Amino acid sequence: MVTASRPAHPLAPGWLTVPDDANDFAPGVWPASITRADSGQIEIGGMRASELAEQFGTPVMLLDEDDVKGRAARTQRAFASAVARHDGSCRVYYAGKAFLSSHVARWMLDAGLNIDVCSRGELETALAAGVAADRIGFHGNNKSVAELERAIGVGVGTIIVDSAIELERIGAIAERIGASQNVLVRVRSGVHADTHEFLATSHEDQKFGFSLAEAEAVVARIRELRSVRFLGLHCHIGSQIFGINGFRESASRVVELHERLLEGGPVPLMNLGGGFGIAYTRADTPAEIEDLADGIVDAVADECAARGIELPTLAFEPGRSIIGPAGITLYEIGTTKAVTVDTDGGSAERLYVSVDGGMSDNVRPALYGAQYSARLASRTSDADPALVRIVGMHCESGDVVVDHEYLPGDVTPGDLVAVASTGAYSAAMASNYNHVPRPAVVAVRDGRARVILRGETVDDLLARDAGLGYTEGEE
Ligand SMILES: *Cc1c(COP(=O)(O)O)cnc(C)c1O
């Protein structure tokens, strides 16, 4: 353990220690290919930060392509070998909502994964990318009739049923077009997990799925429907989870219901969702994916063995853990400002550092109070570390990019700054708030960069404005 050589700043949270070197990369937080070039610049995928900024502008989201592919392959291997120890089989779905484009969909297929979608847009992206329909899982608590018609029409592999109303719609559509639609029934196990904690209740107050008590009747109804085939139960207990105890508790509840359902017919599959946590800061210590896979699979296998039932095919749906750590966002600093803040014993200064993006390209800090890590990207510096709050350019005081970080104290306008682990749920959640165009997403690999999602321009925004460019006689 390295001990902090400098006293912590009075406004710093307890988990953030003063780094010995405010240019270093916290282990596990940054993409696999990140290094410092001799010039001090950050290099990712063999490309220097300044050349990327010049070529694509800032902000820009960069994906370390080999890291994404490597994480996908490693996840697939981890679950395959975990189930092989019990002579079982598995299917891994990439949760497309974390970030989906045609390139990413194909990287996942190449690594042996399937794809989960939860809207018409995600479904069409996967199909257009060439994902075979039977490798797609379709989620959502309010899929429209048009979405269901499209999904059943193209033959998606599984639809995860979320309500009784939806089930009847699926039954009617499948019947009408002569399809046989595989479905899973989403249940709330009463376990909800978030990072280190999990909460176990018998009734969970949230919108997704059926309670364990309701699910039996739903499955009985599916078994009456000629055009719908029941595959098994689905349960997703939350996101950014570090431990396996929540998964274990949930799995034991789901297996109990699974056993009861076997009395009425086959139940070949069980889907335990995703939610594996990643390191956003050096205070986060997620488990290795192999340990998680082994732990969760062993828990289900032991529970099945104890009940004397066969281990079903197990399915998993990780999103964040595959793409999150492989992405960084590059911003340019525009202004800095020292703000004096009252503390218990007096006052302290916090250095606000404003960048050219913010909650429109990463809403997680504003939405969840999410923490991130940052480093100067265009140079290194020996200046003493200063506690900074990196903020965006939007008209909201909650427009925070990195809440608490130490950067070299000489941080100044024109510096590039990189924010780590932005690969998941940042570009995917981007908005045009304040009429800010959404940034490009660029894949970097072996010294080459290619745009995988074009950045928007102001013209793109103006093109939607029906009051502009009208032709005479239209009004
Ligand atoms: C969001 C979600 C996932 C993926 O969660 P991650 O935290 O990105 O792994 C998987 N399954 C379902 C049903 C989800 O809603």
Side-chain angles (χ1 to χ4, degrees), residues 95 97-98 139 186 234 236 239-240 273-276 317-320 425:
K97 73 179 202 254
H139 273 283
R186 182 161 180 174
H234 174 285
H236 171 74
S239 209
Q240 185 59 1
F276 315 126
E317 307 173 321
R320 186 194 314 268
Y425 303 109

Side-chain angles (χ1 to χ4, degrees), residues 4 115 225 230 288 311 321 345 383:
I115 308 275
L225 293 169
F230 178 63
E288 300 292 331
L311 180 66
S321 58

Side-chain angles (χ1 to χ4, degrees), residues 350 352 354 358-359 365-367 389-403 433-434:
R350 190 197 301 280
Y352 276 77
S354 296
M359 63 192 293
L367 193 58
R389 175 166 290 160
I390 302 175
V391 295
M393 44 66 68
H394 294 279
C395 301
E396 294 276 335
S397 53
D399 173 29
V400 168
V401 176
V402 182
D403 209 8
Y433 180 47
N434 291 145

Side-chain angles (χ1 to χ4, degrees), residues 134-468:
D134 64 0
R135 292 181 69 173
I136 297 176
F138 192 18
H139 273 283
N141 66 299
N142 187 19
K143 308 172 193 80
S144 71
V145 170
E147 284 174 323
L148 290 171
E149 283 171 344
R150 174 72 173 149
I152 296 167
V154 299
V156 300
T158 48
I159 295 179
I160 295 83
V161 176
D162 198 89
S163 70
I165 291 172
E166 180 187 72
L167 174 58
E168 296 306 320
R169 288 176 183 158
I170 293 169
I173 295 166
E175 182 79 33
R176 179 154 47 77
I177 66 173
S180 171
Q181 181 60 53
N182 288 330
V183 299
L184 295 173
V185 170
R186 182 161 180 174
V187 294
R188 302 186 294 266
S189 63
V191 174
H192 187 82
D194 178 21
T195 306
H196 298 287
E197 306 287 333
F198 76 90
L199 185 75
T201 60
S202 50
H203 298 285
E204 216 189 334
D205 191 1
Q206 51 109 329
K207 71 175 182 177
F208 291 111
F210 300 92
S211 71
L212 292 171
E214 291 161 337
E216 246 172 311
V218 176
V219 174
R221 175 65 185 140
I222 293 173
R223 285 171 166 159
E224 288 171 6
L225 293 169
R226 276 186 312 165
S227 305
V228 183
R229 184 166 159 253
F230 178 63
L231 286 189
L233 298 171
H234 174 285
C235 186
H236 171 74
I237 61 169
S239 209
Q240 185 59 1
I241 302 168
F242 285 176
I244 77 152
N245 291 339
F247 289 109
R248 214 194 292 272
E249 175 63 31
S250 178
S252 116
R253 294 177 179 203
V254 173
V255 173
E256 189 194 341
L257 175 58
H258 177 97
E259 181 185 17
R260 271 185 278 137
L261 296 174
L262 282 170
E263 289 162 20
V267 190
L269 197 92
M270 180 183 297
N271 187 321
L272 294 165
F276 315 126
I278 66 169
Y280 286 98
T281 75
R282 63 182 80 218
D284 294 331
T285 52
E288 300 292 331
I289 191 69
E290 290 78 10
D291 295 336
L292 278 171
D294 287 351
I296 298 168
V297 168
D298 287 353
V300 179
D302 292 350
E303 191 72 36
C304 287
R307 294 169 184 277
I309 60 174
E310 204 179 315
L311 180 66
T313 295
L314 296 182
F316 299 92
E317 307 173 321
R320 186 194 314 268
S321 58
I322 289 176
I323 205 154
I328 67 171
T329 306
L330 207 55
Y331 301 92
E332 185 176 316
I333 296 170
T335 61
T336 63
K337 185 188 287 180
V339 173
T340 304
V341 181
D342 291 337
T343 61
D344 268 355
S347 68
E349 240 176 38
R350 190 197 301 280
L351 186 62
Y352 276 77
V353 172
S354 296
V355 297
D356 50 358
M359 63 192 293
S360 56
D361 60 79
N362 187 2
V363 76
R364 294 188 64 256
L367 193 58
Y368 311 122
Q371 303 294 331
Y372 281 89
S373 303
R375 284 291 173 252
L376 281 187
S378 42
R379 64 185 176 101
T380 53
S381 162
D382 295 333
D384 278 350
L387 183 74
V388 302
R389 175 166 290 160
I390 302 175
V391 295
M393 44 66 68
H394 294 279
C395 301
E396 294 276 335
S397 53
D399 173 29
V400 168
V401 176
V402 182
D403 209 8
H404 306 283
E405 179 59 289
Y406 286 102
L407 289 184
D410 62 353
V411 52
T412 194
D415 281 338
L416 297 175
V417 67
V419 175
S421 38
T422 58
Y425 303 109
S426 47
M429 287 185 165
S431 77
N432 291 125
Y433 180 47
N434 291 145
H435 276 212
V436 171
R438 288 172 292 182
V441 180
V442 175
V444 289
R445 175 173 185 266
D446 281 346
R448 290 218 300 273
R450 57 181 171 156
V451 173
I452 63 169
L453 200 62
R454 175 175 73 75
E456 282 173 328
T457 62
V458 171
D459 283 344
D460 286 329
L461 303 181
L462 295 185
R464 301 183 61 217
D465 188 325
L468 298 172

